[in-house]
Amino acid sequence: MIDIHSLPEKARKVEQETIRFFKSVKKNRMRELDDTIHALHEEAFDDINCLECANCCRSLGPRLTDRDIERIGAALRLKPREVISQYLRVDEDNDYVFKEMPCPFLCSDNYCSIYEDRPRACREYPHTDRKKFYQIHSLTIKNAETCPAVFQILENLKKEW
Ligand code: SF4
Ligand code: SF4
């Protein structure tokens, strides 16, 4: 497991190199990118156990949609407005986010207490298995500072190519 505390510095050190790498991908190997990155995603998550990390639940937090709020409310037996008043605030982009981080649903053993009903953004993070990956490569370069799996995926991609 990569040391979470040294991860931001490590990721920033290779950031420019990764930006240049993606410029060359755009010119030469866009068609192959999704298949390769999805395989590296599987490999990284075979290696890394999120329950030993939980760094995204500690530091990033998701944007919550109205459907997320309704689902969480149903799970907690709260009305959507009660979920909002107890747990959420509106951020500078006008999106609902958790009032505070670490996430209020993160348990001390790193389990998510609303796992089955967690927000969609939590299910999809860190997005390295999505289609048309190139569209989110800049966000992914930033995510490498938070997520050890993303860091590993990008480093392996550069090595492989
Ligand atoms: S809702 Fe669950 S998965 Fe999402 S940030 Fe909170 S603890 Fe993590
Ligand atoms: S930061 Fe990445 S490796 Fe860590 S818990 Fe989140 S998704 Fe898993």
Side-chain angles (χ1 to χ4, degrees), residues 45 48 50 53-56 125-126 146-149:
F45 281 99
I48 292 174
C50 287
C53 172
N55 204 29
C56 50
Y125 187 83
T146 305
C147 175

Side-chain angles (χ1 to χ4, degrees), residues 9-63:
E9 197 190 329
K10 271 179 148 178
R12 280 196 291 268
K13 249 188 205 161
V14 296
E15 187 180 297
Q16 287 308 315
E17 173 193 283
T18 314
I19 292 170
R20 283 195 299 277
F21 170 81
F22 275 107
K23 279 188 183 148
S24 93
V25 167
K26 191 177 182 192
K27 272 195 198 145
N28 306 311
R29 303 185 76 168
M30 278 286 275
R31 281 201 191 150
E32 300 159 72
L33 181 61
D34 275 8
D35 286 348
T36 309
I37 203 116
H38 297 166
L40 292 171
H41 169 101
E42 295 302 328
E43 211 178 283
F45 281 99
D46 281 347
D47 255 18
I48 292 174
N49 180 359
C50 287
L51 289 173
E52 289 173 8
C53 172
N55 204 29
C56 50
C57 306
R58 261 193 206 97
S59 55
L60 283 183
R63 268 183 239 156

Side-chain angles (χ1 to χ4, degrees), residues 57 62 98 103 105-106 112 114 118-119 122:
C57 306
F98 289 125
C103 173
F105 300 111
L106 180 66
C112 168
I114 55 163
R118 68 199 186 285
C122 299

Side-chain angles (χ1 to χ4, degrees), residues 2 4 6-12 14-15 18 55 60 125-126 137-155:
I2 298 163
I4 288 297
S6 65
L7 187 60
E9 197 190 329
K10 271 179 148 178
R12 280 196 291 268
V14 296
E15 187 180 297
T18 314
N55 204 29
L60 283 183
Y125 187 83
H137 77 278
S138 301
L139 172 71
T140 305
I141 293 171
K142 278 285 156 219
N143 281 338
E145 292 179 21
T146 305
C147 175
V150 169
F151 182 82
Q152 184 174 312
I153 292 165
L154 293 183
E155 289 311 293

Side-chain angles (χ1 to χ4, degrees), residues 51 54 57 71-72 75-76 87 98 103-119 122-123:
L51 289 173
C57 306
R71 199 173 50 250
I72 292 169
L76 300 177
Y87 298 108
F98 289 125
C103 173
F105 300 111
L106 180 66
C107 305
S108 57
D109 56 4
N110 286 345
Y111 275 85
C112 168
S113 65
I114 55 163
Y115 190 75
E116 293 303 324
D117 303 291
R118 68 199 186 285
C122 299
R123 291 164 202 266

Side-chain angles (χ1 to χ4, degrees), residues 67-80 83 117:
R67 284 199 67 175
D68 291 330
I69 296 167
E70 276 166 30
R71 199 173 50 250
I72 292 169
L76 300 177
R77 299 182 184 208
L78 293 174
K79 295 198 167 67
V83 175
D117 303 291

